[in-house]
Amino acid sequence: DVVMTQSPLSLPVTLGQPASISCRSSQSLVHSDGNTYLNWFQQRPGQSPRRLIYKFSDRDSGVPDRFSGSGSGTDFTLKISRVEAEDVGVYYCMQGTHWPPTFGQGTKVEVQ
Amino acid sequence: EVQLVESGGGLVQPGGSLRLSCAASGFTFSSYWIHWVRQAPGKGLVWVSRINPDGSDTTYADSVKGRFTISRDNAKNTLYLQMNSLRVEDTAVYYCTRDYSGYFQHWGQGTLLIVSP
């Protein structure tokens, strides 16, 4: 299975400041169809996961534009341009290029 | 509005069985792949099983293969997960989740399974 490695695992943030989470895969996530199936999910405390980003950079409907995804091959990044209080939670990357789909360990974002 | 509502979780002894349900609404249930993903207490997300729109194609994680069975009733807009030979390590919140533009666009609120003596 493809191993997804996130860093950092804990991210203290300052409200209004940018934040960035890294995700690395053990294999390239470029599919034979040319797409890169890398998703980002947010899980607020006590809630279900919510998909923020699909195909490494496409934002889901209703997701604030302060969230952006970038990267290629095996290295990907989720950026929050200005952190708001509602962004506290755990963020997961997930690959869907290779079977089975696999998730990173999660990055806990908390206000410092 | 897309809604997925899981139910059926509870406390079971090791070796026991339980069936989870996921009631869907707000979309054409019979047109979508649906998955079960679980999350052990304080841990990350793990894919468990998937089923295709007409129920003819199912896949399982190695950790549950031979013990869990995924199924669906498109007339009732409901997904199921029959879990047999349960182990302590199956303890988790179980989410059903629907694909759209890739994996896991919509998630239910989850149902908690506790396997304990």
Side-chain angles (χ1 to χ4, degrees):
Chain A
D1 296 359
V2 175
V3 177
M4 305 297 289
T5 304
Q6 292 182 226
S7 62
L9 298 185
S10 178
L11 181 59
V13 298
T14 301
L15 296 180
Q17 294 301 303
S20 179
I21 300 170
S22 172
C23 176
R24 288 189 171 176
S25 58
S26 60
Q27 301 179 35
S28 172
L29 298 187
V30 180
H31 194 275
S32 56
D33 65 8
N35 289 308
T36 298
Y37 295 105
L38 186 283
N39 295 346
W40 288 98
F41 297 86
Q42 173 195 62
Q43 189 173 30
R44 292 170 172 155
Q47 294 189 14
S48 305
R50 169 198 183 194
R51 197 177 73 181
L52 301 175
I53 302 287
Y54 62 98
K55 287 195 286 185
F56 84 94
S57 63
D58 288 342
R59 204 178 303 116
D60 270 285
S61 175
V63 174
D65 61 7
R66 64 178 180 275
F67 290 94
S68 64
S70 63
S72 64
T74 60
D75 290 318
F76 301 91
T77 302
L78 176 71
K79 292 181 180 176
I80 310 173
S81 59
R82 294 173 305 279
V83 174
E84 298 190 5
E86 66 180 17
D87 300 336
V88 165
V90 180
Y91 291 78
Y92 297 92
C93 61
M94 184 228 94
Q95 69 82 23
T97 296
H98 305 280
W99 192 257
T102 49
F103 293 86
Q105 322 97 299
T107 294
K108 187 173 185 179
V109 172
E110 48 197 354
V111 176
Q112 65 179 356
Chain B
E1 179 193 2
V2 172
Q3 282 204 316
L4 298 167
V5 180
E6 301 91 338
S7 62
L11 175 62
V12 181
Q13 291 189 335
S17 298
L18 204 65
R19 188 178 81 162
L20 306 182
S21 300
C22 171
S25 60
F27 65 100
T28 305
F29 180 70
S30 59
S31 297
Y32 290 88
W33 287 81
I34 311 285
H35 305 252
W36 288 100
V37 173
R38 68 185 181 184
Q39 185 173 35
K43 302 296 185 182
L45 300 164
V46 178
W47 174 81
V48 173
S49 182
R50 71 169 180 178
I51 188 167
N52 72 334
D54 68 8
S56 63
D57 184 4
T58 59
T59 320
Y60 301 92
D62 288 344
S63 59
V64 306
K65 201 173 295 182
R67 301 188 298 122
F68 289 12
T69 302
I70 190 172
S71 63
R72 65 194 296 163
D73 185 336
N74 286 343
K76 295 183 178 179
N77 290 342
T78 303
L79 173 76
Y80 302 102
L81 186 67
Q82 177 65 44
M83 304 181 293
N84 298 330
S85 303
L86 284 164
R87 304 168 180 168
V88 170
E89 56 264 35
D90 295 319
T91 295
V93 174
Y94 285 75
Y95 297 100
C96 61
T97 173
R98 190 202 82 170
D99 288 347
Y100 183 75
S101 294
Y103 291 115
F104 314 152
Q105 185 203 32
H106 286 285
W107 297 65
Q109 87 289 348
T111 188
L112 175 62
L113 167 69
I114 300 173
V115 184
S116 179

